[in-house]
Amino acid sequence: MVASLSKPVWTEEYETEILNKLAAQHAPYLLNLEKVETRPPQTQEEKENFARFRIAGAAHDLFIVQVIAKAIAQLIHDPHWQLSLSRQLGDDGAHSLNSRLRVQELLGYDPIDQIQQQVQEHWEFMGDSAVRDWLGFAAFQVHYELHVVGPFLLQSRVGRISDPKTATYFVDKILPDEAAHRLAVIDWWKQLYDKASPNERSELAAQLLERDEEIQQRRTNYLIDHWDTAHKAKGITGVDGINAVYDGWRREVLAYLIDTPVEKLPKLLSVSQ
């Protein structure tokens, strides 16, 4: 991906820069936090908390699989992007399956019914927003692949409980896969956006912000609940600023996509509202 002269290429290093900037503003305790060794979940309650976290992750990934399948069939007709999305679909399917199997190892039962129930909940609060048209799908991709990263990075710095098999799979498989997905989403959007005329770009930017706001409204309650699930699973307590970090991260992503300084974006719905 070629960046414009006014901004850097989006990389994992750039993401760390953004998080550090937001942490300085909203969660300064993160900047000088001493590294503490994590430990596996030990009690039955801790194992169940971690299993709930992985069930939620499995549902998140399976929902993405289902949305992408619809998008390939109905919305995205360019074979180049169909192939890119096929890679994302396969990766997230593998991630979901790994979560399902790990829960089965931890607790001794197949959680597929719980996963399916939570997938259905995603469809209920999202409605048709992700598959209504290609702009809705673009906003879905931005939310499910890019906006989620800031809180994840924050939580990774303060977590105290970590299942070893999950951690290994995250490092070896999920982290590189998800980094590739994020870059593909940005590439797809930027190729469409950069080819547009100035008037068309202005309209696309306004439409993306409108769709992004709609999905934020639909997802806010889920995000709050999901972060609570993650904190219980990872032994995170006393963490302040996650809402502000999420809001700031979201603004950074949108500003990057539509080539607008963060401070010139309109007021956006806060996850705290």
Side-chain angles (χ1 to χ4, degrees):
M1 181 178 66
V2 179
S4 69
L5 294 176
S6 61
K7 66 184 181 185
V9 174
W10 189 281
T11 63
E12 292 174 81
E13 290 75 20
Y14 183 55
E15 290 174 340
T16 300
E17 290 180 22
I18 295 173
L19 180 66
N20 287 339
K21 179 176 72 173
L22 294 173
Q25 297 172 4
H26 307 295
Y29 62 89
L30 287 175
L31 298 177
N32 298 311
L33 194 67
E34 292 185 10
K35 181 64 177 178
V36 176
E37 290 296 323
T38 59
R39 62 170 178 80
Q42 295 170 342
T43 67
Q44 186 63 22
E45 181 181 8
E46 288 176 349
K47 291 178 182 179
E48 290 174 356
N49 285 340
F50 207 89
R52 278 192 288 271
F53 171 65
R54 295 224 57 184
I55 289 170
H60 172 274
D61 290 328
L62 182 53
F63 177 65
I64 292 173
V65 167
Q66 293 179 5
V67 171
I68 290 176
K70 286 180 178 288
I72 292 173
Q74 301 170 8
L75 301 174
I76 308 301
H77 306 298
D78 184 328
H80 172 75
W81 296 113
Q82 287 177 338
L83 288 174
S84 177
L85 288 170
S86 295
R87 185 248 163 107
Q88 186 184 347
L89 184 153
D91 288 344
D92 283 331
H95 301 168
S96 185
L97 178 59
N98 180 269
S99 291
R100 174 189 180 183
L101 296 176
R102 185 59 186 138
V103 171
Q104 195 164 359
E105 290 176 344
L106 283 169
L107 298 185
Y109 73 92
D110 184 352
I112 191 63
D113 289 342
Q114 292 169 270
I115 293 169
Q116 177 54 27
Q117 175 59 38
Q118 291 190 29
V119 170
Q120 183 58 36
E121 290 169 3
H122 279 269
W123 280 111
E124 288 170 359
F125 65 69
M126 287 288 286
D128 70 346
S129 60
V131 292
R132 189 182 307 149
D133 54 27
W134 80 266
L135 266 166
F137 178 66
F140 156 80
Q141 286 279 65
V142 171
H143 264 275
Y144 275 75
E145 297 297 327
L146 286 158
H147 290 345
V148 297
V149 175
F152 169 77
L153 292 176
L154 184 154
Q155 291 161 354
S156 69
R157 294 190 183 185
V158 296
R160 296 294 178 262
I161 297 175
S162 177
D163 171 55
K165 286 190 177 182
T166 296
T168 297
Y169 188 76
F170 261 66
V171 170
D172 293 345
K173 177 66 175 168
I174 293 180
L175 292 181
D177 285 350
E178 294 302 324
H181 299 170
R182 294 196 293 279
L183 293 182
V185 170
I186 292 171
D187 275 347
W188 175 55
W189 171 259
K190 294 301 290 180
Q191 287 198 30
L192 292 166
Y193 191 72
D194 291 346
K195 289 178 182 177
S197 69
N199 286 340
E200 289 171 335
R201 283 198 295 272
S202 178
E203 182 64 21
L204 283 172
Q207 290 178 331
L208 181 66
L209 290 175
E210 180 183 350
R211 301 303 178 84
D212 191 273
E213 282 281 85
E214 177 189 351
I215 293 178
Q216 181 58 51
Q217 187 171 32
R218 290 173 176 273
R219 271 171 56 82
T220 290
N221 289 339
Y222 161 79
L223 287 171
I224 298 299
D225 289 344
H226 182 67
W227 295 338
D228 182 64
T229 298
H231 289 186
K232 289 177 180 176
K234 298 178 181 183
I236 297 172
T237 58
V239 173
D240 297 321
I242 188 169
N243 289 12
V245 167
Y246 174 84
D247 288 343
W249 185 275
R250 179 175 166 233
R251 292 180 67 84
E252 291 282 347
V253 168
L254 291 170
Y256 189 95
L257 291 175
I258 64 175
D259 295 328
T260 299
V262 172
E263 61 273 12
K264 292 190 176 181
L265 288 176
K267 183 178 179 180
L268 299 177
L269 182 69
S270 171
V271 76
S272 298
Q273 292 176 246

